[in-house]
């Protein structure tokens, strides 16, 4: 009998693996709706939906392995990273999905949340004021007009699978929708700056690196309190706080 492995679990959702099947349990059915819709529309490899019975979605495992994880060593050749960049470009060039996604928040709303979060990080003593101030300055470059693209919205390195130099699957589409393409590129390379050139080469177009750096700072600033409150450690080596320190 296959063992049940807890992939991720917190108060909002949980993902379990049983053999080659992943069971996603989410109290917010809107997120599952977005995920199923996005996987049907995305022109890149996605997991097969096996069945759905709210609040559970069952999907098949995808072949291959990820290129690494945040806070861990990166794996794969330069060609594999470039292939990931090419797959991301294919997604961004696809017809727009019907709704806004996690990468599609308005500049005004994002700036307001960022300012509030920066204040709380300092007043609660989580991060030094100088570190927060510097990264808030860097983050400003992301707060600019952008052309909507079909974005994944949570394109962490652990969500992209490759086999050799071929992308075999992209998982976890609950934040997908119209959004800023550079947010996806920044999320994918967060904590693995050494492979940014490979990804951009595969992406195949001019990319504003200052905006990528800005999204690294912005995403990390917004994540620290949420992560600490949900059982994760943004202070672990190579994770969000180290990303912020790298901008100093």
């Amino acid at each position: 009998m296959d063992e049940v492995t807890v992939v991720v679990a917190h108060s909002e959702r949980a993902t379990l693996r049983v053999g080659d099947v992943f069971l996603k349990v989410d109290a917010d059915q809107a997120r599952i709706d977005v995920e199923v819709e996005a996987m049907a529309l995305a022109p890149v490899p996605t997991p097969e939906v096996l069945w759905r019975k709210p609040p559970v979605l069952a999907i098949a495992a995808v072949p291959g392995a990820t290129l690494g994880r945040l806070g861990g060593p990166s794996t794969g050749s330069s060609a594999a990273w470039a292939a990931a960049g090419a797959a991301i470009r294919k997604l961004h060039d696809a017809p727009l999905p019907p709704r806004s996604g996690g990468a599609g928040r308005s500049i005004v709303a994002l700036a307001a949340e960022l300012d509030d979060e920066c204040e709380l990080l300092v007043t609660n003593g989580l991060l030094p004021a100088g570190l927060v101030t510097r990264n808030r300055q860097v983050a400003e470059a992301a707060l600019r007009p952008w052309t909507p693209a079909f974005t994944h919205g949570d394109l962490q390195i652990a969500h992209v699978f490759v086999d050799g130099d071929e992308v075999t699957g992209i998982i976890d589409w609950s934040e997908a929708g119209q959004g800023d393409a550079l947010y996806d590129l920044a999320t994918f390379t967060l904590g693995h700056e050494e492979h940014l050139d490979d990804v951009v080469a595969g992406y195949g177009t001019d990319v504003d690196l200052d905006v990528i750096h800005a999204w690294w700072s912005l995403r990390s600033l917004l994540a620290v309190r949420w992560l600490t409150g949900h059982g994760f450690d943004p202070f672990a080596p190579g994770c969000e706080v180290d990303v912020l320190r790298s901008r100093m």
Side-chain angles (χ1 to χ4, degrees), residues 94-208:
L96 292 175
R99 64 186 93 200
S100 181
R105 300 186 56 198
S106 76
I107 296 172
V108 173
L110 199 58
E113 181 183 357
L114 180 60
D115 288 339
D116 290 345
E117 199 65 29
C118 287
E119 182 178 354
L120 288 169
L121 287 169
V122 175
T123 57
N124 291 348
L126 278 173
L127 293 177
L131 182 65
V132 172
T133 299
R134 170 56 182 159
N135 277 276
R136 175 63 182 86
Q137 293 169 346
V138 173
E140 187 67 27
L143 303 174
R144 86 283 177 226
W146 41 268
T147 301
F150 189 158
T151 53
H152 181 281
D154 189 22
L155 199 62
Q156 302 174 44
I157 185 176
H159 293 163
V160 179
F161 285 72
V162 298
D163 186 0
D165 298 335
E166 178 184 357
V167 175
T168 54
I170 300 177
I171 65 171
D172 285 1
W173 292 81
S174 61
E175 300 294 328
Q178 298 183 28
D180 180 359
L182 296 190
Y183 179 86
D184 272 354
L185 289 175
T187 302
F188 182 61
T189 55
L190 184 74
H192 290 287
E193 186 171 357
E194 72 277 11
H195 286 294
L196 178 59
D197 288 346
D198 296 328
V199 173
V200 171
Y203 194 73
T205 189
D206 290 337
V207 171
D208 190 332

Side-chain angles (χ1 to χ4, degrees), residues 13-31:
R13 69 189 84 166
T15 301
L16 311 175
R17 180 168 187 168
V18 186
D20 289 332
V21 176
F22 285 88
L23 302 175
K24 305 190 73 171
V25 184
D26 198 325
D28 184 351
Q29 287 306 291
R31 279 196 293 252

